[in-house]
Amino acid sequence: MKIVVCVKQVPATTAEKRYTSELRLDRAATEAVINPLDEYAIEQALRLKEGGVVDEVVYLSMGPDSASEALRRSLAMGGDGGVLVTDPALAGADEWVTARVLAAALDKLAPEVSLMGMASDDARGSLVPGAVAAIRGVPLLAYGSELRLTDGAAQIRRLNPTGFDLLEAPLPVVASVTDQVGEPRYASLKGIMAARRMELTTWALADLGLDPADLAPLTRVVAADPPPAKPPAQVISGVAPDEAASRVADWLAERKLIA
Amino acid sequence: MADVAFLAEFVDGHPTRSALELAAGAAELAAAAGGGAVGLAYGPGAADGAAGLGAAGAARVVVLGSEAAPAVTIAGPLVEAVRDAGLVAVLAPATPDGRDLSGVLVGSLGLPGFGPVRAVRMEGGAVRCEMSTLQGAMITASQPAPSAPATSVVLVSSGTYAPSEGGSGTAVVSQAPAADSPQAKVRIVETAAEAAAIAALEEAEIIVAGGRGVGSEAGFEALNQLAAVLGGVVGASRAAADAGWVPYQLQIGQTGKVVKPALYLAVGISGAIQHRVGMQAAEHIVAINRDPDAPIGEFADLFVVGDLFEIVPRLTAEIERRKGA
């Protein structure tokens, strides 16, 4: 059984983010990391491999050449191989283009489970897993707090309003997991060294039988501005608890937040 | 004709709050586009309750499925109802179910997808979607590319629209023809209840949220009391949910719920960016924290530096006293 984990390179949470004059994220100005939510998918895949359910864990990323760094960092945690889809025509890809390209690469890799993080840290749309499932014509099992694999089927544990459901679909599936699957492991020094030596596969759009002319983004950013500055907080500090409570109550009453 | 559709989930024959919010949003956008609002109803009892969406703003309703089943299983009829229907947009809730269905729509029909958005309007015959991106670092506006298909899929954050009240519209109801999809193979094999009563955070006007500083499950009792006297509900940061002090259904933040209450009281929450993205749209933010340098001080409206165990019970008592006065 093979799992392909899709990993995206995103700006670090703490990095300063800038847009270029074409209203694209200025990646040159930003420190890049593996999308933190993808690390949970990696952890889930590696646990299934350690449990003997999965034979092979392969990472797939789409992005500029520098995204190979995300693949090496993933491999440093564990896993058996990495594939980078990179092509100049992919600059400015939106969810639709991303899903088309990932689906084509996944068709070629033919895993039983195509696994993703629940969202990317930068856009948070979560549309890609469903779009990839639809394009590949396979069931979607998204937002799992755990992925289980049985004979011929995949299951995810998914929260509902008061508990959880166990959802099942026949393989192959596209699945996504949340940050409840368990904390991602750190890469060991040995893992880092091994990942450095590993050969990555690189595909261009032509290798996937895709024509750049069919891959124009369907959305475009028309404006990007920093949010309006918020006035500094009013601070209550260094007063006795009774007075603090009374002043908070005053503040709430002034804003009609308490009757 | 330029109609705007919206996903409308039903539970026990009644539309959910998000269905009513989206009905109001779809009606507003459809009015600007010169069309009507179309409900795409699914969930237990949807067929029986569908006509009721007329009062919320829908001109017609297409029932996609009326069974208790994973939401994604209605993908087949959904895709067929949207294909060639001349819709300007399909509005979906920015919930896991709404995102699953939106992703399948985008992939099946090759449609532009947006969101989660905080505001949408019509501009030049297409949607213009405003969203907070890069964890709040930027406010961006996006539109369909000129070459894109005419129908956009838009994930709408809860609280973006208020349900329209007391409308007298009657919706024309039709049943979508059956259509097969790989998603029909998804089924529930087990359901378990963990927490008896979990408040609907997305609908709450007042939220008292606790974080790592609350320290224990017992520590949340003081927050429950404060929430009760305020007429609000309790929420939590990821740290508190991870620690098992509250169920994950109460988690607010990047990987939990995104809320938009009138008052957000953050107790013992440092204000990491992952939490911030879940609650920064609150109208008023009050923080109680022992650490004067906690990041939440940068975006709270009122920041109380002090011991939550001393302040919260006194605040509860003080509000109670004023209510009685």
Coordinates of all heavy atoms in Angstrom, one line a residue, chain B residues 220-231 234 312-313 316 320:
Chain B
F220 N -12.1 25.7 34.3 CA -13.1 26.2 33.4 C -14.5 26.5 34.1 O -15.4 27.1 33.5 CB -13.3 25.2 32.2 CG -12.4 25.6 31.0 CD1 -11.1 25.1 31.0 CD2 -12.9 26.4 30.0 CE1 -10.3 25.5 29.9 CE2 -12.1 26.7 28.9 CZ -10.8 26.3 28.9
E221 N -14.7 25.9 35.3 CA -15.9 26.2 36.0 C -16.2 27.7 36.2 O -17.3 28.2 36.0 CB -15.9 25.4 37.3 CG -17.3 25.3 38.0 CD -18.5 25.2 37.1 OE1 -18.4 24.3 36.1 OE2 -19.5 25.9 37.3
A222 N -15.1 28.4 36.6 CA -15.3 29.8 36.8 C -15.7 30.5 35.5 O -16.4 31.5 35.4 CB -14.0 30.4 37.3
L223 N -15.2 30.0 34.3 CA -15.5 30.6 33.0 C -17.0 30.3 32.7 O -17.7 31.1 32.1 CB -14.6 30.1 31.9 CG -13.2 30.8 31.8 CD1 -12.4 30.8 33.0 CD2 -12.4 30.3 30.6
N224 N -17.4 29.1 33.0 CA -18.8 28.7 32.8 C -19.7 29.7 33.5 O -20.7 30.1 33.0 CB -19.1 27.3 33.3 CG -18.6 26.2 32.3 OD1 -18.6 26.4 31.1 ND2 -18.1 25.1 32.8
Q225 N -19.3 30.0 34.8 CA -20.2 30.9 35.6 C -20.2 32.3 35.0 O -21.3 32.9 34.9 CB -19.7 30.9 37.0 CG -20.0 29.6 37.7 CD -19.4 29.5 39.1 OE1 -18.9 30.5 39.6 NE2 -19.3 28.3 39.6
L226 N -19.1 32.8 34.5 CA -19.0 34.1 33.9 C -19.8 34.1 32.6 O -20.6 35.0 32.4 CB -17.6 34.5 33.6 CG -17.4 35.8 32.9 CD1 -18.0 37.0 33.7 CD2 -15.9 36.2 32.8
A227 N -19.7 33.1 31.8 CA -20.4 33.0 30.6 C -21.9 33.0 30.9 O -22.7 33.6 30.2 CB -20.0 31.7 29.8
A228 N -22.3 32.2 31.9 CA -23.8 32.1 32.2 C -24.3 33.5 32.6 O -25.4 33.9 32.1 CB -24.0 31.1 33.4
V229 N -23.6 34.2 33.4 CA -24.1 35.5 33.9 C -24.1 36.5 32.7 O -25.0 37.5 32.6 CB -23.4 36.0 35.1 CG1 -21.9 36.4 34.8 CG2 -24.1 37.2 35.8
L230 N -23.2 36.4 31.7 CA -23.2 37.2 30.6 C -24.2 36.8 29.5 O -24.4 37.5 28.5 CB -21.8 37.2 30.0 CG -20.7 38.1 30.7 CD1 -19.3 37.7 30.2 CD2 -21.0 39.6 30.5
G231 N -24.8 35.6 29.7 CA -25.7 35.1 28.6 C -24.9 34.6 27.4 O -25.3 34.6 26.3
V234 N -19.0 29.2 26.5 CA -17.6 29.0 26.7 C -16.9 28.4 25.4 O -17.5 27.6 24.8 CB -17.4 28.1 27.9 CG1 -15.9 27.6 28.0 CG2 -17.7 28.8 29.2
V312 N -11.8 36.7 37.6 CA -13.0 36.2 36.9 C -14.1 36.0 37.9 O -15.3 36.5 37.6 CB -12.7 34.9 36.1 CG1 -14.0 34.2 35.7 CG2 -11.8 35.2 34.9
P313 N -13.9 35.4 39.1 CA -15.1 35.2 40.0 C -15.6 36.6 40.5 O -16.8 36.8 40.6 CB -14.5 34.5 41.2 CG -13.3 33.8 40.7 CD -12.7 34.7 39.6
T316 N -17.7 38.0 37.7 CA -19.0 37.4 37.7 C -19.9 37.9 38.7 O -21.1 38.3 38.5 CB -18.8 35.8 37.9 OG1 -17.9 35.3 36.9 CG2 -20.1 35.1 37.8
E320 N -23.4 40.2 38.3 CA -24.6 39.7 38.9 C -25.2 40.8 39.8 O -26.4 41.0 39.8 CB -24.3 38.5 39.8 CG -25.2 37.3 39.5 CD -24.6 36.0 40.0 OE1 -23.6 36.0 40.8 OE2 -25.1 35.0 39.5

